[in-house]
Amino acid sequence: MFLMKHSKKVALVIVILLAVFEVFSATIMPNKMVVQMDMDGGDGLILPTPLGLIIFFAVSLATSWRMTAVPEAKDKKKWLVATLFVIFINAVLVLYNVMY
């Protein structure tokens, strides 16, 4: 019920927190960002850090917007989970790139 009434506020808070996280990540990350690993554990796809962070921000922004656009509560929950999953993957990639 809360998500149904306040989905726009929830999405706005998520986007603001994610923007702060992305700016912070950009300051601590190296110039290149590993976004995909090979099957042997080596670095797969390597992107410039700003491009990698912009891609993840855009996907999170799209899923947050989609959460506000659907009319049914169960669909809003699905899009919230999708948004949180994208944010989790983003955080894991930032940690991986900072640590290695």
Side-chain angles (χ1 to χ4, degrees):
M1 192 68 175
F2 176 80
L3 188 60
M4 191 71 174
K5 289 183 179 179
H6 303 289
S7 64
K8 290 183 181 179
K9 291 179 185 174
V10 170
L12 182 64
V13 168
I14 288 173
V15 168
I16 289 171
L17 291 176
L18 187 62
V20 170
F21 176 74
E22 297 292 341
V23 169
F24 173 73
S25 298
T27 61
I28 63 170
M29 299 260 305
N31 291 336
K32 297 197 182 260
M33 178 178 182
V34 177
V35 294
Q36 184 179 9
M37 308 243 338
D38 286 335
M39 292 297 286
D40 62 358
D43 297 344
L45 179 62
I46 300 173
L47 295 174
T49 297
L51 179 62
L53 293 176
I54 287 171
I55 289 171
F56 276 103
F57 183 74
V59 172
S60 299
L61 188 64
T63 55
S64 295
W65 172 80
R66 187 70 182 138
M67 180 180 62
T68 65
V70 293
E72 296 182 19
K74 72 175 189 171
D75 291 336
K76 289 183 186 297
K77 290 178 186 175
K78 289 178 186 177
W79 284 106
L80 176 63
V81 169
T83 302
L84 294 177
F85 181 73
V86 170
I87 292 170
F88 172 75
I89 296 299
N90 189 5
V92 168
L93 283 175
V94 168
L95 285 175
Y96 175 79
N97 282 288
V98 169
M99 295 176 95
Y100 297 103

